[in-house]
PDB file of all heavy atoms in Angstrom:
ATOM      1  N   ILE U  33      -1.412   7.001  -1.291  1.00 95.00           N
ATOM      2  CA  ILE U  33      -1.359   8.186  -0.437  1.00 95.00           C
ATOM      3  C   ILE U  33      -0.862   9.387  -1.236  1.00 95.00           C
ATOM      4  O   ILE U  33       0.105   9.277  -2.000  1.00 95.00           O
ATOM      5  CB  ILE U  33      -0.435   7.939   0.766  1.00 95.00           C
ATOM      6  CG1 ILE U  33      -1.040   6.876   1.693  1.00 95.00           C
ATOM      7  CG2 ILE U  33      -0.178   9.235   1.538  1.00 95.00           C
ATOM      8  CD1 ILE U  33      -0.154   6.519   2.866  1.00 95.00           C
ATOM      9  N   ASP U  39       9.224  20.752   1.208  1.00 93.00           N
ATOM     10  CA  ASP U  39      10.607  20.535   1.645  1.00 93.00           C
ATOM     11  C   ASP U  39      11.113  19.265   0.949  1.00 93.00           C
ATOM     12  O   ASP U  39      10.688  18.150   1.281  1.00 93.00           O
ATOM     13  CB  ASP U  39      10.653  20.376   3.170  1.00 93.00           C
ATOM     14  CG  ASP U  39      12.074  20.239   3.703  1.00 93.00           C
ATOM     15  OD1 ASP U  39      12.891  19.556   3.060  1.00 93.00           O
ATOM     16  OD2 ASP U  39      12.358  20.791   4.772  1.00 93.00           O
ATOM     17  N   VAL U  46      10.087  10.965   3.776  1.00 95.00           N
ATOM     18  CA  VAL U  46       8.750  10.441   4.081  1.00 95.00           C
ATOM     19  C   VAL U  46       8.264   9.510   2.976  1.00 95.00           C
ATOM     20  O   VAL U  46       7.749   8.419   3.248  1.00 95.00           O
ATOM     21  CB  VAL U  46       7.748  11.603   4.281  1.00 95.00           C
ATOM     22  CG1 VAL U  46       6.329  11.061   4.421  1.00 95.00           C
ATOM     23  CG2 VAL U  46       8.117  12.421   5.513  1.00 95.00           C
ATOM     24  N   THR U  60       3.857  15.565  -4.274  1.00 95.00           N
ATOM     25  CA  THR U  60       3.975  16.830  -4.995  1.00 95.00           C
ATOM     26  C   THR U  60       4.418  17.921  -4.032  1.00 95.00           C
ATOM     27  O   THR U  60       4.026  17.927  -2.862  1.00 95.00           O
ATOM     28  CB  THR U  60       2.648  17.238  -5.664  1.00 95.00           C
ATOM     29  OG1 THR U  60       2.838  18.485  -6.365  1.00 95.00           O
ATOM     30  CG2 THR U  60       1.530  17.433  -4.647  1.00 95.00           C
ATOM     31  N   PHE U  90      -4.133  24.559   5.101  1.00 94.00           N
ATOM     32  CA  PHE U  90      -5.491  24.761   5.597  1.00 94.00           C
ATOM     33  C   PHE U  90      -6.465  24.974   4.431  1.00 94.00           C
ATOM     34  O   PHE U  90      -7.583  24.459   4.443  1.00 94.00           O
ATOM     35  CB  PHE U  90      -5.543  25.962   6.540  1.00 94.00           C
ATOM     36  CG  PHE U  90      -4.867  25.729   7.866  1.00 94.00           C
ATOM     37  CD1 PHE U  90      -4.147  26.741   8.480  1.00 94.00           C
ATOM     38  CD2 PHE U  90      -4.959  24.497   8.508  1.00 94.00           C
ATOM     39  CE1 PHE U  90      -3.523  26.529   9.709  1.00 94.00           C
ATOM     40  CE2 PHE U  90      -4.347  24.274   9.736  1.00 94.00           C
ATOM     41  CZ  PHE U  90      -3.614  25.299  10.334  1.00 94.00           C
ATOM     42  N   ASN U 112       3.232  23.818  14.943  1.00 83.00           N
ATOM     43  CA  ASN U 112       2.711  22.931  15.983  1.00 83.00           C
ATOM     44  C   ASN U 112       2.166  23.663  17.204  1.00 83.00           C
ATOM     45  O   ASN U 112       2.098  23.108  18.291  1.00 83.00           O
ATOM     46  CB  ASN U 112       3.817  21.949  16.421  1.00 83.00           C
ATOM     47  CG  ASN U 112       3.235  20.693  17.041  1.00 83.00           C
ATOM     48  OD1 ASN U 112       2.140  20.255  16.664  1.00 83.00           O
ATOM     49  ND2 ASN U 112       3.945  20.121  17.994  1.00 83.00           N
ATOM     50  N   ARG U 117      -3.179  23.458  15.697  1.00 90.00           N
ATOM     51  CA  ARG U 117      -3.673  22.088  15.846  1.00 90.00           C
ATOM     52  C   ARG U 117      -5.206  22.067  15.935  1.00 90.00           C
ATOM     53  O   ARG U 117      -5.871  21.260  15.277  1.00 90.00           O
ATOM     54  CB  ARG U 117      -3.068  21.454  17.096  1.00 90.00           C
ATOM     55  CG  ARG U 117      -3.525  20.027  17.374  1.00 90.00           C
ATOM     56  CD  ARG U 117      -2.950  19.546  18.698  1.00 90.00           C
ATOM     57  NE  ARG U 117      -1.514  19.486  18.639  1.00 90.00           N
ATOM     58  CZ  ARG U 117      -0.833  18.412  18.202  1.00 90.00           C
ATOM     59  NH1 ARG U 117      -1.507  17.350  17.781  1.00 90.00           N
ATOM     60  NH2 ARG U 117       0.476  18.422  18.191  1.00 90.00           N
ATOM     61  N   LYS U 139       3.719   5.934  10.385  1.00 93.00           N
ATOM     62  CA  LYS U 139       3.115   4.772   9.718  1.00 93.00           C
ATOM     63  C   LYS U 139       1.972   4.195  10.548  1.00 93.00           C
ATOM     64  O   LYS U 139       0.903   3.868  10.023  1.00 93.00           O
ATOM     65  CB  LYS U 139       4.159   3.705   9.462  1.00 93.00           C
ATOM     66  CG  LYS U 139       3.582   2.418   8.864  1.00 93.00           C
ATOM     67  CD  LYS U 139       4.589   1.313   8.846  1.00 93.00           C
ATOM     68  CE  LYS U 139       3.955   0.017   8.331  1.00 93.00           C
ATOM     69  NZ  LYS U 139       2.865  -0.467   9.210  1.00 93.00           N
ATOM     70  N   ASN U 165     -17.752   1.693 -13.860  1.00 91.00           N
ATOM     71  CA  ASN U 165     -17.262   1.451 -12.498  1.00 91.00           C
ATOM     72  C   ASN U 165     -16.795   2.788 -11.922  1.00 91.00           C
ATOM     73  O   ASN U 165     -15.689   3.249 -12.217  1.00 91.00           O
ATOM     74  CB  ASN U 165     -16.106   0.454 -12.503  1.00 91.00           C
ATOM     75  CG  ASN U 165     -15.692   0.033 -11.103  1.00 91.00           C
ATOM     76  OD1 ASN U 165     -15.626   0.852 -10.202  1.00 91.00           O
ATOM     77  ND2 ASN U 165     -15.405  -1.246 -10.920  1.00 91.00           N
ATOM     78  N   PRO U 174     -17.262  -2.593 -25.165  1.00 90.00           N
ATOM     79  CA  PRO U 174     -16.781  -3.930 -25.529  1.00 90.00           C
ATOM     80  C   PRO U 174     -15.410  -3.940 -26.224  1.00 90.00           C
ATOM     81  O   PRO U 174     -14.680  -4.931 -26.125  1.00 90.00           O
ATOM     82  CB  PRO U 174     -17.871  -4.456 -26.467  1.00 90.00           C
ATOM     83  CG  PRO U 174     -19.109  -3.758 -26.003  1.00 90.00           C
ATOM     84  CD  PRO U 174     -18.664  -2.389 -25.585  1.00 90.00           C
ATOM     85  N   GLN U 210     -20.315  23.990  -7.273  1.00 85.00           N
ATOM     86  CA  GLN U 210     -20.686  24.863  -6.157  1.00 85.00           C
ATOM     87  C   GLN U 210     -21.010  26.293  -6.577  1.00 85.00           C
ATOM     88  O   GLN U 210     -21.129  27.182  -5.747  1.00 85.00           O
ATOM     89  CB  GLN U 210     -19.583  24.905  -5.079  1.00 85.00           C
ATOM     90  CG  GLN U 210     -19.484  23.645  -4.234  1.00 85.00           C
ATOM     91  CD  GLN U 210     -18.822  22.508  -4.969  1.00 85.00           C
ATOM     92  OE1 GLN U 210     -17.725  22.680  -5.496  1.00 85.00           O
ATOM     93  NE2 GLN U 210     -19.458  21.353  -5.011  1.00 85.00           N
ATOM     94  N   VAL U 224     -20.069  17.520 -20.710  1.00 96.00           N
ATOM     95  CA  VAL U 224     -21.194  16.820 -21.338  1.00 96.00           C
ATOM     96  C   VAL U 224     -20.791  16.345 -22.723  1.00 96.00           C
ATOM     97  O   VAL U 224     -21.108  15.212 -23.130  1.00 96.00           O
ATOM     98  CB  VAL U 224     -22.433  17.739 -21.401  1.00 96.00           C
ATOM     99  CG1 VAL U 224     -23.521  17.090 -22.262  1.00 96.00           C
ATOM    100  CG2 VAL U 224     -22.971  18.019 -20.011  1.00 96.00           C
ATOM    101  N   VAL U 232     -21.123   7.353 -27.590  1.00 95.00           N
ATOM    102  CA  VAL U 232     -21.698   7.520 -28.928  1.00 95.00           C
ATOM    103  C   VAL U 232     -22.038   6.195 -29.607  1.00 95.00           C
ATOM    104  O   VAL U 232     -22.879   6.139 -30.513  1.00 95.00           O
ATOM    105  CB  VAL U 232     -20.725   8.342 -29.809  1.00 95.00           C
ATOM    106  CG1 VAL U 232     -19.481   7.530 -30.147  1.00 95.00           C
ATOM    107  CG2 VAL U 232     -21.423   8.840 -31.075  1.00 95.00           C
ATOM    108  N   ASP U 233     -21.413   5.092 -29.183  1.00 95.00           N
ATOM    109  CA  ASP U 233     -21.606   3.817 -29.874  1.00 95.00           C
ATOM    110  C   ASP U 233     -22.885   3.089 -29.493  1.00 95.00           C
ATOM    111  O   ASP U 233     -23.147   1.996 -30.011  1.00 95.00           O
ATOM    112  CB  ASP U 233     -20.404   2.889 -29.612  1.00 95.00           C
ATOM    113  CG  ASP U 233     -19.146   3.378 -30.325  1.00 95.00           C
ATOM    114  OD1 ASP U 233     -19.273   3.990 -31.400  1.00 95.00           O
ATOM    115  OD2 ASP U 233     -18.045   3.159 -29.799  1.00 95.00           O
ATOM    116  N   ILE U 237     -28.665   5.310 -25.803  1.00 96.00           N
ATOM    117  CA  ILE U 237     -28.275   6.250 -24.750  1.00 96.00           C
ATOM    118  C   ILE U 237     -28.374   7.668 -25.301  1.00 96.00           C
ATOM    119  O   ILE U 237     -27.779   7.988 -26.330  1.00 96.00           O
ATOM    120  CB  ILE U 237     -26.848   5.972 -24.260  1.00 96.00           C
ATOM    121  CG1 ILE U 237     -26.782   4.594 -23.596  1.00 96.00           C
ATOM    122  CG2 ILE U 237     -26.372   7.051 -23.304  1.00 96.00           C
ATOM    123  CD1 ILE U 237     -25.395   4.177 -23.165  1.00 96.00           C
TER     124      ILE U 237
END
Side-chain angles (χ1 to χ4, degrees):
I33 293 177
D39 184 320
V46 173
T60 181
F90 289 142
N112 203 32
R117 179 185 296 273
K139 176 190 176 297
N165 188 319
Q210 287 76 53
V224 171
V232 70
D233 290 329
I237 296 176

